[in-house]
Amino acid sequence: MEKGSHYYAVLALCRLLGMKKKIASQVAYSSEMVDDALIERVLFKEYPKNVELQKIGFNSGLDDCSTCPHIMTVWSYNQSKMMRTLVPFHFIPSCEGGDFNRRIRTHPDSPILKEFLENKYAMKSPFHLGIILHVLGDAYAHQGFSGVVSRGNRIRRFRINMETISGKGDRFLAKFIANYPKLHSKTLARILPMYSHSRVGTVPDLPSVEWSYEYDVAVKNQLPEFVPSGLIINSQRYKEAFEKFKILIEEFLKVFPDFGGEETENIEDADFFNHLVKNVSREDTDEFWKQYFLEHELFDTNDHDIVYNKHYWLENAFKNYKSRMNTKKIFKEAIPLNDFDRSDWYRYYLAQQDYKAEYHKSVAKYNVVNRKT
């Protein structure tokens, strides 16, 4: 999924279910922040109050902050780093199959994900809920692919209904992969290893697309064996995912009744779900959802939430944060604001640390850690 679903659609659904604006914002920002938290480490020039820091060399700071790797950089293809960052949040393993290449593929029926839902991880805070909504959403959108370099991500005979995709960049890439497979294999496919859904471009992350392909079943010690995926209708996957989202949000509001109770316009589910899967380009996403929020009186024109800003939480946590810093792996000489320990960014950091701790316990349990097993 991408910003239109992870942030805007989650924000709209929370508000439609009566969640207060501030809490809905925390849930939706957490959901999208999983894609935008690129800074790996924060080293402080001035230490924040009421925050437990880690000793990092001669400095003190916060480590293991990222929930998404810097895609298209050399280190992104490092298997161990992908297993620590990309896989847990964006390609949670299905744990199905006799070898690593099959167990590492993602699917919404993942027993690891089921454990998170059963142990009520999402019910701890708005930040925990947002993280789980992202993981669950990507499990639906990315199913069949894995977040590591694997023969299981090898595909062929990619086909797409071009009438279901918008946006110049997305259309060009999809058409190139579908119509010029040999040229693609000699160009882009040589630059991008077989990891994530790179071999089918951006189509899994777009809610309106209809497509198909053949994939390698990845049976250990055998030659490639390709089987058809059948027609994939993203709108069905996305609607099913958001039905699960709705159940989780409603359960969350029962656990925290003070977070809800706001009166919003009574809108039938069909209205929201039809809006969710409309064929809209990513370039038009911000305006597309802004108009929805205003038309249904979910937000006002002066609410900052109405247009997503990936730097907003960092700007409200650090005095000296600049937008260019989000492209760096290390934020050096950070100066926290006085209320840093209560900032949304820090509380998100704590929630994702909780997630990582629980995830690593489960992933060892289901034997998807070691490629040799």
Side-chain angles (χ1 to χ4, degrees):
M1 292 185 176
E2 49 83 47
K3 180 176 65 175
S5 301
H6 282 315
Y7 178 72
Y8 288 115
V10 167
L11 187 62
L13 184 58
C14 286
R15 291 290 291 136
L16 290 170
L17 294 174
M19 188 177 290
K20 292 178 179 177
K21 286 183 180 180
K22 180 180 178 180
I23 307 302
S25 172
Q26 291 172 335
V27 174
Y29 265 88
S30 295
S31 173
E32 177 57 24
M33 183 59 69
V34 174
D35 277 343
D36 293 331
L38 304 180
I39 297 172
E40 297 177 40
R41 178 178 293 172
V42 176
L43 300 177
F44 288 96
K45 182 178 181 180
E46 299 176 9
Y47 295 154
K49 298 177 182 178
N50 305 317
V51 172
E52 184 177 348
L53 302 178
Q54 296 115 20
K55 194 68 177 176
I56 306 171
F58 296 105
N59 302 98
S60 292
L62 298 174
D63 206 2
D64 197 22
C65 302
S66 63
T67 50
C68 188
H70 289 73
I71 304 298
M72 288 297 290
T73 62
V74 173
W75 81 262
S76 296
Y77 310 139
N78 180 292
Q79 200 87 336
S80 64
K81 290 188 176 181
M82 286 188 284
M83 286 292 286
R84 290 199 306 269
T85 307
L86 188 63
V87 171
F89 293 95
H90 311 272
F91 293 87
I92 194 164
S94 68
C95 307
E96 294 182 356
D99 60 43
F100 176 86
N101 286 323
R102 286 183 287 172
R103 294 197 306 277
I104 197 66
R105 282 179 168 145
T106 195
H107 195 277
D109 286 336
S110 163
I112 300 175
L113 182 54
K114 285 183 178 179
E115 284 192 358
F116 272 102
L117 298 177
E118 290 171 0
N119 69 18
K120 307 298 181 182
Y121 167 90
M123 302 298 123
K124 293 181 179 180
S125 79
F127 308 94
H128 291 76
L129 174 60
I131 289 171
I132 284 298
L133 294 183
H134 185 107
V135 175
L136 180 58
D138 274 0
Y140 273 95
H142 298 165
Q143 57 187 284
F145 295 97
S146 68
V148 298
V149 177
S150 165
R151 59 174 282 192
N153 293 321
R154 179 188 291 138
I155 69 102
R156 70 180 187 183
R157 295 179 181 171
F158 171 72
R159 298 289 183 268
I160 183 170
N161 178 354
M162 292 301 296
E163 293 182 359
T164 65
I165 185 171
S166 296
K168 291 182 180 180
D170 291 325
R171 284 179 59 84
F172 173 82
L173 182 58
K175 193 171 184 178
F176 177 69
I177 297 172
N179 295 346
Y180 305 98
K182 291 184 178 179
L183 182 58
H184 174 244
S185 67
K186 294 178 180 179
T187 54
L188 289 179
R190 288 191 175 182
I191 299 172
L192 288 172
M194 288 184 291
Y195 88 116
S196 86
H197 50 78
S198 60
R199 293 303 171 94
V200 295
T202 57
V203 296
D205 289 330
L206 306 174
S208 60
V209 180
E210 296 178 3
W211 55 297
S212 64
Y213 63 103
E214 292 183 0
Y215 62 95
D216 185 354
V217 294
V219 178
K220 188 177 181 180
N221 298 326
Q222 289 188 15
L223 293 174
E225 179 184 347
F226 289 90
V227 298
S229 65
L231 178 63
I232 300 170
I233 303 175
N234 282 1
S235 60
Q236 293 179 354
R237 287 182 171 181
Y238 278 59
K239 286 179 178 178
E240 186 175 349
F242 272 81
E243 287 285 4
K244 296 287 181 64
F245 288 13
K246 182 182 177 184
I247 293 171
L248 281 173
I249 295 168
E250 289 174 335
E251 182 181 356
F252 182 80
L253 289 174
K254 289 179 181 178
V255 175
F256 298 100
D258 291 344
F259 290 168
E262 287 210 350
E263 292 186 9
T264 55
E265 183 180 347
N266 186 19
I267 303 170
E268 295 182 0
D269 287 352
D271 176 88
F272 167 76
F273 286 110
N274 289 337
H275 197 82
L276 167 70
V277 299
K278 280 186 178 179
N279 185 3
V280 176
S281 71
R282 289 194 287 174
E283 294 84 353
D284 296 328
T285 295
D286 291 344
E287 187 62 28
F288 175 70
W289 281 101
K290 178 180 178 181
Q291 292 304 314
Y292 183 86
F293 292 141
L294 295 177
E295 288 172 8
H296 297 297
E297 300 181 350
L298 301 177
F299 287 93
D300 301 320
T301 54
N302 60 342
D303 287 324
H304 72 82
D305 318 76
I306 205 166
V307 176
Y308 177 71
N309 173 9
K310 66 182 178 181
H311 305 291
Y312 183 77
W313 276 4
L314 285 156
E315 291 169 344
N316 285 273
F318 300 95
K319 291 180 182 178
N320 59 335
Y321 174 78
K322 305 295 181 183
S323 60
R324 67 179 181 275
M325 294 175 180
N326 202 42
T327 63
K328 308 292 185 181
K329 289 192 288 186
I330 302 176
F331 181 4
K332 299 178 180 179
E333 298 189 332
I335 302 175
L337 289 168
N338 291 333
D339 60 349
F340 177 83
D341 62 308
R342 298 189 299 277
S343 68
D344 288 335
W345 183 88
Y346 179 62
R347 288 187 285 177
Y348 170 81
Y349 168 79
L350 293 177
Q352 61 94 349
Q353 289 290 294
D354 281 350
Y355 178 87
K356 288 174 180 175
E358 292 301 318
Y359 171 83
H360 289 301
K361 291 178 185 177
S362 294
V363 81
K365 173 181 176 181
Y366 290 103
N367 197 25
V368 289
V369 178
N370 191 342
R371 180 182 284 278
K372 294 179 182 180
T373 57

